Amino acid sequence: MTAITVNNLWKEYADQVVLERVNLSVHNKSFCSIVGASGCGKTTFLRILLGQEIQSRGTVTLNGAPLPMDPSAERGIVFQRYSVFPHLNAVQNVAMGLELKRSPMLGRLFGGARNAALDEARAYLAAVGLDFAADKYPAELSGGMQQRLAIAQALIKKPKVLLLDEPFGALDPGIRTDMHELILRLWDESDMTIFMVTHDLEEGFKLGTRMLVFDKVRVDPDAPGAFGATITYDLALNKKTKGELKDIQNLDLKKKD
Amino acid sequence: MSNRRIINRRPGQASAAWLAALPFLLLAGAYLIGSDIRLQANASDKLLPSLRTIGDTIGHLAFEADKRTGDYLFWKDSAASLIRLGVGMASATFIALSVGIAVGLIPYIRSTLSPFITVLSMIPPLAVLPILFIVFGMGELSKIVLIIFGVTPFLMRDTQLWVQSLPAEQLIKAQTLGANTWQVTLRVVLPQTLPRLIDSVRLSLGPAWLFLIAAEAIASTEGLGYRIFLVRRYMSMDVILPYVAWITLLAFVMDFILNRISHKAFPWQNLGGR
């Protein structure tokens, strides 16, 4: 079943075309890696999927319905930084998603309802391996632990789509490998469709079931903003192709990074 | 050790305490010596009264009822000033918090109000004091309004800038967790703004006292500032000096208490994060 359909999407600013003629159809439970050179619009594309920005032209539908114009609970997000709330400890960060739903006026639960929400949140913390740090504030957590927390925080809303904006870019290589295993496991256990923007081609190949390469097809050297980027490669990844594509990246994609 | 550069040498705990006390001791010593010299030359000198004279005067003001009115003037003055300052600062803080968050968070309100607030904050508050007296009369209200008018623009703009500096990621993240604008304000913006606001209030206490004393000096019948300016005519340094010291102490205690509240209520802010 098709989860997300992008139809002739454009994003233009006053003097600059960022994205042009983007067409895409993504099945449920896909893991799309989005790669491309800096400034080629891949983050803009993710922001449009998120509802942080609105496309200039074209449509994006989620399960047949147009995406809401604001960020909403059906799309979770993990940014590279600042995804978690510094004034809440880990379990409060995760429980926030429940509190906002169950307490529209105050956005905050009390007594038994609060304890129930915190217990639910602890289960999600355990799923990302942070159960030992439930009472710690984000500033007391390492970068990797903060990203685990941000993932747990997003997952408690059971989003249909999880958007990852270079989520592991600031982490040490060893930690990054752990995080890859974590995100693959969580994705496997759920029905989420994941879009992940990354600078790291290898990471994109390793995690994705599909790789979307953003690049400019047309370039006017006198007017760099005249043409936007679009999806230039759309590669299905499975075990067999993943091996073959390792060779391609050296030839073709690497030079764009 | 001792041949390290001065920027790399640090006093130990004990010597740091002594160094901190040193300027106070020097000032006190200089006063006592100066006072002694002048009083020896002229026993009725009023400029630098002895500690004994000061103590007697404050004893009269604080612990003996005034013969004419039956009031304990020192405490009456203190209460009057503290109520004005408290009401003024509380109102200013509340206005600054609500308007500052609204202006910082909501682009349409920012476009509407931000230039206006900027211009408003350029008006010297003391220049409008006559207007306040004309509009609000000579009573309590005009003094409180002067404090509000004096410190609110700073608090408001500081709150606004702080809210604007919150990472956009947090506002987006909250929305993906299901928050509407009100919930974002309540759960993300407000709790992160309060500690900053407390710090700004601490910085505003100095100006607030300035406006209070100015208003009291011009039109009042009680208050610490009123008393100082009243006895100035008689060159009563034995009243002025302890009153100034008392105001300083009050300001210091307020600052201290606000700092403690901030640390206790928002333990997360000193963990190295925002």
Side-chain angles (χ1 to χ4, degrees), chain B residues 2-225:
Chain B
S2 58
N3 53 15
R4 298 190 72 186
R5 284 187 201 104
I6 187 104
I7 52 169
N8 296 324
R9 286 160 62 186
R10 291 168 194 285
Q13 219 168 17
S15 43
W18 273 112
L19 288 172
L22 191 62
F24 293 102
L25 295 174
L26 284 178
L27 181 66
Y31 180 88
L32 290 177
I33 293 169
S35 165
D36 206 42
I37 293 172
R38 286 189 68 100
L39 287 172
Q40 271 182 358
N42 173 11
S44 58
D45 177 66
K46 302 190 84 173
L47 191 65
L48 300 177
S50 69
L51 288 187
R52 184 185 192 84
T53 316
I54 291 176
D56 286 348
T57 310
I58 289 305
H60 287 308
L61 287 171
F63 305 115
E64 286 171 29
D66 183 57
K67 289 190 192 88
R68 197 160 51 80
T69 59
D71 292 323
Y72 293 87
L73 291 178
F74 179 80
W75 301 115
K76 193 178 168 222
D77 289 339
S78 301
S81 290
L82 285 175
I83 288 171
R84 288 165 190 153
L85 193 76
V87 174
M89 283 307 280
S91 318
T93 306
F94 180 75
I95 298 169
L97 183 65
S98 0
V99 179
I101 287 183
V103 173
L105 189 61
I106 299 172
Y108 268 93
I109 298 183
R110 177 153 69 243
S111 297
T112 313
L113 286 184
S114 194
F116 181 70
I117 292 171
T118 308
V119 170
L120 207 63
S121 68
M122 301 295 169
I123 302 174
L126 285 178
V128 297
L129 184 56
I131 304 178
L132 299 183
F133 281 139
I134 293 167
V135 176
F136 297 111
M138 305 296 266
E140 294 301 299
L141 190 57
S142 54
K143 300 177 193 69
I144 289 168
V145 172
L146 179 69
I147 295 174
I148 297 174
F149 193 87
V151 300
T152 306
F154 163 74
L155 290 176
M156 212 183 293
R157 293 176 80 196
D158 192 66
T159 306
Q160 173 196 344
L161 290 176
W162 177 255
V163 171
Q164 282 175 244
S165 77
L166 290 176
E169 286 90 339
Q170 283 188 27
L171 308 184
I172 301 287
K173 179 81 185 192
Q175 294 178 66
T176 66
L177 299 179
N180 56 34
T181 303
W182 171 245
Q183 290 176 319
V184 169
T185 308
L186 219 52
R187 289 300 315 269
V188 180
V189 178
L190 183 65
Q192 293 191 69
T193 305
L194 286 177
R196 170 72 174 203
L197 184 70
I198 290 181
D199 280 348
S200 323
V201 167
R202 290 170 62 198
L203 290 176
S204 299
L205 280 176
W209 275 104
L210 166 73
F211 298 128
L212 172 71
I213 289 171
E216 287 181 344
I218 294 172
S220 192
T221 53
E222 58 186 1
L224 297 167

Side-chain angles (χ1 to χ4, degrees), chain A residues 16-101:
Chain A
Q16 196 184 6
V17 182
V18 180
L19 293 170
E20 59 177 50
R21 292 175 292 129
V22 179
N23 288 290
L24 185 66
S25 173
V26 175
H27 289 289
N28 254 341
K29 218 179 160 170
S30 302
F31 194 135
C32 296
S33 304
I34 301 175
V35 298
S38 297
C40 70
K42 55 188 193 298
T43 294
T44 304
F45 181 68
L46 198 79
R47 284 182 176 168
I48 292 172
L49 292 182
L50 177 58
Q52 186 177 357
E53 295 199 34
I54 303 297
Q55 66 271 25
S56 315
R57 279 183 261 169
T59 55
V60 184
T61 56
L62 174 61
N63 296 331
L67 281 179
M69 306 270 268
D70 292 307
S72 60
E74 61 230 312
R75 291 159 289 169
I77 177 78
V78 174
F79 295 104
Q80 187 173 1
R81 296 181 65 195
Y82 303 129
S83 288
V84 293
F85 302 112
H87 60 292
L88 300 175
N89 67 26
V91 66
Q92 290 168 343
N93 257 292
V94 180
M96 177 111 126
L98 301 174
E99 291 191 280
L100 292 169
K101 176 110 200 278

Side-chain angles (χ1 to χ4, degrees), chain A residues 92-134:
Chain A
Q92 290 168 343
N93 257 292
V94 180
M96 177 111 126
L98 301 174
E99 291 191 280
L100 292 169
K101 176 110 200 278
R102 296 173 191 174
S103 169
M105 261 324 283
L106 294 176
R108 188 187 289 270
L109 296 170
F110 300 94
R114 180 169 189 271
N115 288 336
L118 290 177
D119 284 341
E120 274 180 71
R122 275 192 199 95
Y124 280 84
L125 276 184
V128 299
L130 274 185
D131 34 350
F132 66 94

